[in-house]
Amino acid sequence: ELDLAGEPRIFNYRVDMGAFEWNTFVGMEEYGHLIPELALWNFPNPFAASTCITYELQQTSAVQITIYNYQGELIEVIPEKRQVKGNHNLIWQTENLSPGLYYCKLRAGNRVQTLKMIKL
């Protein structure tokens, strides 16, 4: 009946689901296993003619990026290639695409992350 910091949980006659930790703060650096293996974001979002898709790999992996429209139709496939651990950027040019909602799916090894992007 301890919280993440090893302190006793305070119940106060109700069930504590662990969402509230009394007087403690547990940072991600203390629990490295909680850090996701794959981070994915883009800037700007929403965007007009292009956006920079950025992702962070925690280990060297084969990476493939696919872009879909809001109906799930495949728009573009970035060929798979092996990339080293660290941050990577891709500028996605969208001049010939209609405004709307798009999804970027990043597959790195056996991990998958999806990002929602809005074109103005």
Side-chain angles (χ1 to χ4, degrees):
E1 305 300 336
L2 303 176
D3 63 17
L4 289 175
E7 301 292 328
R9 291 201 188 278
I10 298 175
F11 288 94
N12 295 336
Y13 304 104
R14 60 180 189 232
V15 176
D16 178 4
M17 298 300 291
F20 179 77
E21 305 295 357
W22 182 260
N23 250 352
T24 62
F25 175 77
V26 177
M28 294 300 282
E29 63 278 353
E30 294 176 63
Y31 293 91
H33 64 281
L34 299 177
I35 299 172
E37 285 184 31
L38 195 54
L40 173 65
W41 63 97
N42 72 306
F43 183 83
N45 193 20
F47 58 94
S50 68
T51 187
C52 180
I53 298 170
T54 303
Y55 51 97
E56 181 181 1
L57 302 175
Q58 294 298 316
Q59 60 189 19
T60 299
S61 302
V63 174
Q64 183 176 41
I65 297 174
T66 49
I67 310 289
Y68 299 88
N69 66 14
Y70 72 98
Q71 295 176 319
E73 298 168 334
L74 182 63
I75 300 298
E76 187 170 348
V77 176
I78 311 301
E80 183 175 319
K81 65 179 177 181
R82 192 153 183 81
Q83 296 182 346
V84 297
K85 175 182 175 178
N87 289 331
H88 300 272
N89 297 310
L90 167 72
I91 304 297
W92 185 46
Q93 300 293 331
T94 63
E95 294 92 6
N96 58 349
L97 294 175
S98 303
L101 181 62
Y102 292 87
Y103 294 94
C104 174
K105 183 169 105 176
L106 172 66
R107 181 181 304 275
N110 62 354
R111 305 280 302 176
V112 176
Q113 185 77 302
T114 303
L115 171 69
K116 194 183 302 184
M117 306 182 296
I118 300 171
K119 178 176 172 29
L120 300 175

